[in-house]
Amino acid sequence: MTASIDTPTGINVYCPGDGRLVGTVTDMGAAAIGDVCTQLRSAQPAWEEMGPAGRATWLLRWLDWLLDNEQRLLEMVQSETGKSWADASMEMAVAIDVINYFAKNAEKFLADRVVKPAGIANSVRRLRVQVRPYPLVGLITPWNGPLGGPMMDVVGALVAGAAVVSKPSEVTPLTWAEVTRGWRDEVEAPPVLACVTGAAAAGAAVVDNADMVMFTGSVRTGRAIAVRCAERLIPCSLELGGKDPMIVLADADLERASSAAVWGSMTNAGQACISVERVYVEAPVYDTFVSLVTEKAAGLRQGMDAPGSFSCDIGAMVTASQADIVQRQVDDAVAKGARLLLGGSMKPGGRFFEPTVLVDVDHSMACMREETFGPTVAIMAVRDEDEAIALANDSEYGLSSSVWTRDPRKAQRLARRIEAGSVSVNNALVATFQLPIPMGGWKNSGVGTRFGGARGVLKYCREQSVVEERFALKSEPLWYPVGPVKSRLIAKAARMLGAHDWRRRLGRPGR
């Protein structure tokens, strides 16, 4: 397959499904990106002044434009990713949900918070906390979701009142460049959202110009961004890799669990940080579960189907380097004793890696320790729930997970033992897209969260405490001049109000 090749002036984008050239974007330099950021900053104060209701109106107009252009935009998604039409369509569903949710709740999430004063001495004051957006948010997103990925974060930042400079992956930049063009040229929204294109240097320029950074991608790049943000003393939120475990207990509904294992591991050709990558099954039901998974995975239809046809289940691997990682992990597992029940290699014609089922795996194998990001599922038998939990937690990652059992109490107990940012009970991936609750990773899976109700907006804001006096006295007791009578009275009052027994309130000597 043809790979993306940088030209002196731009970056070519090729379709992973058939190799054709689908577009070219500019490889922007730091100076050009700096100019874009300057323009965004100049427009941001008016955007903030508009208030949450005014900003929500523009977001809903943007949504109207997205829906009016849905077919064309999803064809762009498919062309630059090689997705199946079903996987491409999911990206518009994400955009619809996120825009509607944050637009509907913007005023409530950003409302001032009135706080009760602490202590009698402060009862004469009114306390509130108000929020102000970071003027410029930098958003850097990966190649696996050209439309849905940026939408998961950009809406909260815009609703908050920030301007946003966004950089999509140089591998799949076309859809997001068009979506931001629609905001600017078709919706004619305020100029507070821009897309800059380029490779690693462009991403570094975004980090160097922003006041807050939201990054989704690899652990290695996330660490580098965190270091640079620390040097600049600006905050960052990082959603990084995953190696998500699925625990199937003996009392689980195996028909449902096996279907979830196939969908959770294969959707988007496994190219999702929340994919099911390793499954731990209690020994009494292991053989049955493996048989069900293998049968269902064998029935998957793979390819890049015609727009609107919904005739394929999964599509292509977006990059050749990621396909190489998947192949290396499969080969490593087989060399160390794993059995390959299905798939295991690239198909001829197009960058399509076969749906793959590995069994008899263990934690000496790369497929159980490294992020795979491909259409594979590795299944391991365990003695009991304790071994399953121990193995699930034996990972540098902690993003998502799932527990499968008919016993609700058991599910709740095990969920508290899993070291991951989210746990789905008797479902796969579902906890990730619940907008009222946070999505975030533990350990090397990231810092910070996305979504989480109001937190999905407030993460892009700075808190500002405001204290107002109920009564404007001519002077305060602690103000100058200092005098012995006044100071002793203040000390006695503090003791009287703060001590918990009469001896100490009255200042009597200890026994």
Side-chain angles (χ1 to χ4, degrees):
M1 287 301 300
T2 306
S4 294
I5 301 174
D6 295 1
T7 69
T9 58
I11 299 172
N12 293 334
V13 181
Y14 296 92
C15 176
D18 55 26
R20 61 191 163 88
L21 176 68
V22 292
T24 301
V25 296
T26 302
D27 191 359
M28 297 176 66
I33 292 173
D35 290 342
V36 170
C37 292
T38 298
Q39 295 170 15
L40 290 168
R41 286 185 183 277
S42 67
Q44 185 273 330
W47 178 247
E48 180 182 354
E49 184 67 23
M50 191 178 296
R55 297 190 290 269
T57 298
W58 284 109
L59 286 162
L60 293 175
R61 291 179 187 175
W62 195 26
L63 175 58
D64 289 342
W65 180 84
L66 290 169
L67 292 173
D68 291 345
N69 292 271
E70 179 176 13
Q71 179 81 7
R72 181 173 64 86
L73 293 173
L74 293 183
E75 287 180 12
M76 294 182 73
V77 170
Q78 189 181 50
S79 293
E80 63 181 338
T81 63
K83 289 176 185 272
S84 67
W85 188 254
D87 282 340
S89 298
M90 288 176 62
E91 301 210 24
M92 186 60 75
V94 171
I96 293 169
D97 287 349
V98 173
I99 291 176
N100 281 329
Y101 179 75
F102 284 118
K104 177 181 178 181
N105 292 286
E107 288 189 279
K108 178 176 65 176
F109 289 166
L110 290 164
D112 291 356
R113 178 163 52 93
V114 177
V115 181
K116 183 179 179 180
I120 295 176
N122 289 310
S123 61
V124 296
R125 298 181 174 92
R126 297 188 185 93
L127 310 182
R128 76 174 188 275
V129 178
Q130 59 191 24
V131 294
R132 295 279 311 282
Y134 290 101
L136 182 61
V137 168
L139 174 61
I140 303 174
T141 50
W143 43 257
N144 59 328
L147 173 61
M151 279 293 180
M152 293 170 75
D153 299 302
V154 75
V155 177
L158 290 172
V159 160
V164 180
V165 55
S166 56
K167 193 202 89 68
S169 167
E170 65 273 22
V171 177
T172 57
L174 303 177
T175 305
W176 189 246
E178 173 60 13
V179 168
T180 55
R181 188 203 64 80
W183 169 276
R184 181 187 69 243
D185 297 341
E186 304 294 335
V187 181
E188 297 182 339
V192 291
L193 172 62
C195 172
V196 298
T197 53
V206 168
V207 175
D208 284 343
N209 281 277
D211 302 306
M212 183 271 182
V213 175
M214 174 67 216
F215 170 77
T216 303
S218 70
V219 175
R220 180 175 59 84
T221 303
R223 279 202 180 101
I225 288 174
V227 168
R228 182 57 183 148
C229 288
E231 291 173 342
R232 296 192 57 226
L233 289 179
I234 65 169
C236 62
S237 183
L238 311 173
E239 199 265 274
L240 308 178
K243 191 68 187 173
D244 297 350
M246 176 180 184
I247 295 176
V248 182
L249 302 184
D251 66 342
D253 179 341
L254 297 185
E255 186 65 37
R256 178 176 171 83
S258 58
S259 294
V262 174
W263 180 77
S265 61
M266 304 294 171
T267 188
N268 206 32
Q271 298 165 112
C273 54
I274 54 169
S275 290
V276 173
E277 293 204 355
R278 49 200 175 108
V279 185
Y280 304 100
V281 186
E282 282 195 300
V285 298
Y286 176 77
D287 290 338
T288 301
F289 180 83
V290 167
S291 177
L292 288 168
V293 167
T294 306
E295 178 184 358
K296 293 173 181 180
L300 293 177
R301 300 161 300 171
Q302 188 170 30
M304 199 177 78
D305 45 345
S309 67
F310 295 97
S311 59
C312 288
D313 298 302
I314 64 174
M317 297 295 295
V318 177
T319 71
S321 60
Q322 193 60 44
D324 290 342
I325 290 172
V326 178
Q327 187 69 67
R328 175 180 58 79
Q329 289 191 12
V330 171
D331 294 345
D332 170 79
V334 172
K336 292 177 179 176
R339 286 189 296 136
L340 184 62
L341 300 186
L342 185 71
S345 61
M346 295 285 290
K347 288 183 172 182
R351 197 179 295 132
F352 297 97
F353 199 97
E354 299 172 313
T356 298
V357 179
L358 287 163
V359 297
D360 297 343
V361 294
D362 60 49
H363 277 220
S364 70
M365 302 171 185
C367 69
M368 298 298 280
R369 306 203 67 84
E370 301 174 8
E371 185 173 34
T372 303
F373 227 67
T376 72
V377 59
I379 310 173
M380 181 176 179
V382 295
R383 294 185 304 274
D384 52 30
E385 64 185 49
D386 289 331
E387 184 181 20
I389 289 291
L391 290 168
N393 291 340
D394 180 26
S395 174
E396 66 179 280
Y397 298 104
L399 188 57
S400 183
S401 63
S402 64
V403 174
W404 296 79
T405 173
R406 286 187 168 92
D407 185 339
R409 291 185 178 180
K410 186 185 295 184
Q412 292 176 16
R413 175 167 48 80
L414 294 181
R416 290 185 177 275
R417 297 175 62 190
I418 293 177
E419 295 173 357
S422 65
V423 183
S424 296
V425 176
N426 294 327
N427 209 326
L429 282 60
V430 69
T432 301
F433 297 102
Q434 305 305 305
L435 302 181
I437 59 177
M439 172 200 177
W442 295 7
K443 299 188 279 191
N444 281 352
S445 287
V447 176
T449 60
R450 63 160 54 97
F451 302 148
R455 292 169 63 180
V457 177
L458 297 178
K459 67 184 281 185
Y460 299 109
C461 298
R462 302 157 293 176
E463 289 189 325
Q464 187 175 55
S465 298
V466 179
V467 181
E468 296 177 296
E469 298 297 319
R470 294 179 184 272
F471 309 103
L473 303 176
K474 291 184 178 181
S475 182
E476 290 286 323
L478 293 177
W479 290 2
Y480 300 134
V482 173
V485 174
K486 181 175 71 172
S487 298
R488 290 187 187 116
L489 285 173
I490 292 172
K492 288 181 179 180
R495 175 180 282 271
M496 179 65 70
L497 295 172
H500 294 272
D501 61 83
W502 281 106
R503 180 177 66 79
R504 291 179 175 84
R505 286 172 183 162
L506 296 174
R508 293 177 178 174
R511 297 174 184 173

